[in-house]
Amino acid sequence: MPDTAEAFVSGAFAGGIATTVTYPLDLLRTRFAAQGTERIYTSLASSIRDIAKYEGPRGFFQGLAAGVGQVVPYMGLFFATYETLRVPLSNLALPYGTGDASAGVLASVIAKSGVFPLDLVRKRLQVQGPTRARYVHRNIPVYKGVFATMRTIIRTEGMRGLYRGLTISLVKAAPASAVTMWTYERALKLLREMDGGHDTR
């Protein structure tokens, strides 16, 4: 399997598993962020108790299909793009190993832009349920299902509605990816040197 394809499959698989396992925490983060002055959940424990009581176990996984559908291609695209760009950028002899950071930024921008509509759908589905009308934006429509949500957004907001918030998302994701991949490459090199091996990357 080509290195790029291997990076895509590995990143996609890892991203899908990690998202599924940690999804309830991601849902709670979104709901806490959507609260206004009226506190729907007063603590982490109360949020878990209320969701379990009023929405059942499925309530913790509202929008999971969009989450996995977003993160699988995102991680695959990210690592495939990163591995493709890392070598040519490292050959530019940029200071302090910033070739890795630059590859991380570009990979993040490409991957995030490609899958952003699913990320937006995930967040809108996460705030569904009995508390939907009590968040800071009280006019949140009722959404059911990934594709039905996308159709509703396109009908009411146009195609641009699927990319609402993309700019701020890139502002957050790009530097985070730069720091992550720079640190990853430095840590990997250090571990290989400690193990007595040679860095072949």
Side-chain angles (χ1 to χ4, degrees), residues 97-120:
T98 49
D100 299 325
S102 299
V105 168
L106 293 172
S108 178
V109 169
I110 292 170
K112 177 66 76 173
S113 298
V115 303
F116 187 79
L118 284 171
D119 189 41
L120 180 136

Side-chain angles (χ1 to χ4, degrees), residues 154-166:
I154 292 172
R155 186 179 69 251
T156 59
E157 304 175 44
M159 286 297 296
R160 292 184 64 181
L162 292 173
Y163 291 89
R164 191 181 299 276
L166 174 60

Side-chain angles (χ1 to χ4, degrees), residues 43-61:
S43 67
L44 181 60
S46 69
S47 67
I48 295 172
R49 184 175 59 251
D50 288 352
I51 292 172
K53 180 179 179 180
Y54 297 111
E55 302 177 53
R58 292 184 62 182
F60 291 101
F61 294 92

Side-chain angles (χ1 to χ4, degrees), residues 18-72:
T19 296
T20 303
V21 171
T22 62
Y23 192 80
L25 294 174
D26 185 56
L27 179 136
L28 291 175
R29 180 192 64 171
T30 299
R31 291 197 177 187
F32 272 105
Q35 293 184 130
T37 54
E38 180 186 357
R39 305 293 292 178
I40 300 168
Y41 305 117
T42 56
S43 67
L44 181 60
S46 69
S47 67
I48 295 172
R49 184 175 59 251
D50 288 352
I51 292 172
K53 180 179 179 180
Y54 297 111
E55 302 177 53
R58 292 184 62 182
F60 291 101
F61 294 92
Q62 290 265 19
L64 176 62
V68 174
Q70 172 250 330
V71 80
V72 167

Side-chain angles (χ1 to χ4, degrees), residues 95-189:
Y96 307 110
T98 49
D100 299 325
S102 299
V105 168
L106 293 172
S108 178
V109 169
I110 292 170
K112 177 66 76 173
S113 298
V115 303
F116 187 79
L118 284 171
D119 189 41
L120 180 136
V121 168
R122 170 183 63 85
K123 291 177 180 176
R124 294 202 181 186
L125 288 173
Q126 285 179 333
V127 293
Q128 297 297 298
T131 57
R132 175 179 55 83
R134 296 171 58 195
Y135 293 111
V136 64
H137 298 290
R138 298 182 182 276
N139 59 342
I140 299 173
V142 176
Y143 295 120
K144 292 185 178 180
V146 176
F147 295 109
T149 300
M150 293 183 77
R151 286 195 297 269
T152 300
I153 292 172
I154 292 172
R155 186 179 69 251
T156 59
E157 304 175 44
M159 286 297 296
R160 292 184 64 181
L162 292 173
Y163 291 89
R164 191 181 299 276
L166 174 60
T167 301
I168 192 64
S169 182
L170 292 178
V171 169
K172 170 183 174 290
S177 296
V179 173
T180 298
M181 300 317 295
W182 185 91
T183 305
Y184 167 77
E185 294 293 347
R186 304 287 81 68
L188 183 63
K189 182 178 180 180

